[in-house]
Amino acid sequence: MGIEVKDLLSIHDLSTKEINDILDLAKTLKTQLKNGEQHHLLKGKTLGMIFQKASTRTRVSFEVGMWQLGGAALFLNANDMQIGRGEPVKDTARVLSRYVDGIMIRTFSHDEVIELAQFATIPVINALTDLMHPCQALTDIFTVLEHKGRLQGLKMVYIGDGNNMVNSLLQACAKVGMDISIATPKGYEPDAAIVAEALTVAAETGSKIVLCEDPLEAAKDADVLYTDVWASMGKEIEQEDRREVFVNYQINQNVMNVAKKDAIVLHCLPAHRGEEITEEVLESKQSVVFDQAENRLHVQKAIMVLLMGK
């Protein structure tokens, strides 16, 4: 069990075996935690956590995760660091590499994370950029595996904005042979290069990828329904315009009616109830969004162990 790459910047960089190793270790760590067993696999190690975007789940899950693994985590607000005053990313990378054992970053520019990893001599974990959200997508397929017992051949349906979340879901589903249908308004499709990349991988794994504009068409016979906010962080200025564009891109009872009867519902949170998802669906028995939120802890612990425990 292990990961050959130094960093986790994108799910595309992982092999299917490496993804399965992450999921297997996450399951083991979760079981041990529930049984009250300690697993100080990163004892004495420190994670530096750079935040340029606000967070609830990311900060708490990584910080608690490091503590449960026997290590420590440092919250580094970019506004309080020299990086927030113009220090080059490459200098920050080399300095932090002398102090800590791993870097987690949640920021806007994906290129910034790539540069950080290029100059750091320690593992870098992408905890979210405007382009990708790999830790969340790995958590999502882990949650599906828990509730469905398998991934290959299942159909995930994503309805909403073609944002960083759907970009990473495309990569994850393609790697594990899970079908994914994506319904977005015209002009809000996922990144074209990532779609092309995922299609190439899907041809090898048997995953089916469908992009369309009709949510009901996409949701037909879905095993998993997924959505995210209509305006991601940094896009708040577009909120009012997006409400008009996305008004029909909501997971509601009409959508649930065309999915499979045992379909589960995912949302990476925070949710805007009454916009991308109804209160009725979010609070229904088919919603597993809080299991999903908890699983950020277990999956990210597995990622940290496999990267930082080498």
Side-chain angles (χ1 to χ4, degrees):
M1 179 178 286
I3 297 179
E4 291 187 8
V5 295
K6 177 178 80 74
D7 313 294
L8 176 59
L9 308 185
S10 162
I11 291 175
H12 184 69
D13 297 334
L14 299 173
S15 67
T16 300
K17 180 185 180 302
E18 288 172 327
I19 291 173
N20 287 329
D21 283 349
I22 291 170
L23 302 184
D24 289 345
L25 182 55
K27 180 179 179 181
T28 298
L29 295 174
K30 183 174 182 177
T31 301
Q32 289 176 346
L33 185 66
K34 300 296 184 186
N35 291 338
E37 301 173 36
Q38 291 187 338
H39 39 238
H40 291 170
L41 302 174
L42 295 180
K43 187 176 181 179
K45 300 215 171 186
T46 304
L47 177 74
M49 307 189 303
I50 302 174
F51 283 88
Q52 293 185 333
K53 284 189 173 186
S55 166
T56 297
R57 281 150 292 277
T58 298
R59 178 178 178 180
V60 176
S61 57
F62 270 105
E63 196 162 330
V64 171
M66 274 302 290
W67 181 82
Q68 291 178 354
L69 291 167
L74 299 174
F75 174 72
L76 305 173
N77 186 322
N79 294 328
D80 297 334
M81 299 172 64
Q82 296 298 340
I83 196 172
R85 300 177 60 207
E87 180 174 54
V89 172
K90 61 184 180 182
D91 291 359
T92 298
R94 288 179 286 195
V95 169
L96 288 181
S97 294
R98 306 291 181 105
Y99 296 149
V100 298
D101 302 287
I103 302 170
M104 180 233 82
I105 182 167
R106 180 178 172 94
T107 188
F108 294 89
S109 168
H110 192 73
D111 288 340
E112 185 175 10
V113 177
I114 292 173
E115 184 179 2
L116 187 70
Q118 181 183 352
F119 286 92
T121 56
I122 56 177
V124 172
I125 300 170
N126 174 8
L128 178 139
T129 65
D130 285 347
L131 185 65
M132 294 179 188
H133 200 352
C135 293
Q136 180 67 61
L138 289 168
T139 296
D140 299 335
I141 61 173
F142 178 74
T143 305
V144 174
L145 185 60
E146 270 193 331
H147 284 269
K148 294 293 186 181
R150 64 186 176 100
L151 295 173
Q152 196 160 19
L154 292 180
K155 179 180 178 180
M156 177 182 285
V157 172
Y158 178 94
I159 295 172
D161 184 28
N163 57 15
N164 52 2
M165 194 62 258
V166 73
N167 288 338
S168 287
L169 287 171
L170 269 166
Q171 293 178 329
C173 288
K175 287 280 183 176
V176 300
M178 189 172 177
D179 299 343
I180 182 166
S181 293
I182 299 165
T184 62
K186 191 172 181 59
Y188 293 87
E189 298 87 355
D191 183 89
I194 291 176
V195 173
E197 195 176 72
L199 285 168
T200 300
V201 174
E204 300 174 3
T205 63
S207 169
K208 297 184 183 70
I209 297 174
V210 176
L211 274 65
C212 67
E213 293 180 38
D214 186 345
L216 292 178
E217 176 188 336
K220 184 172 170 45
D221 297 326
D223 297 288
V224 183
L225 290 162
Y226 198 123
T227 191
D228 192 7
V229 294
W230 291 338
S232 300
M233 278 181 286
K235 299 288 181 67
E236 289 88 352
I237 194 171
E238 302 174 21
Q239 182 73 46
E240 291 305 317
D241 292 338
R242 282 173 172 254
R243 279 198 183 100
E244 293 183 20
V245 173
F246 285 91
V247 66
N248 295 318
Y249 290 81
Q250 180 189 71
I251 295 186
N252 52 35
Q253 196 55 50
N254 289 335
V255 171
M256 299 299 295
N257 289 341
V258 300
K260 288 183 179 175
K261 289 184 178 179
D262 62 348
I264 59 173
V265 177
L266 299 178
H267 191 306
C268 52
L269 300 178
H272 292 175
R273 299 162 192 244
E275 290 188 4
E276 75 276 1
I277 191 167
T278 62
E279 174 88 8
E280 177 188 16
V281 171
L282 188 65
E283 297 292 348
S284 71
K285 290 182 179 179
Q286 289 172 266
S287 170
V288 297
V289 297
F290 296 106
D291 290 347
Q292 178 189 5
E294 177 194 334
N295 284 336
R296 287 286 298 276
L297 173 67
H298 310 300
V299 171
Q300 288 163 183
K301 282 167 65 177
I303 291 167
M304 290 189 288
V305 168
L306 292 170
L307 287 177
M308 296 170 61
K310 291 179 180 178

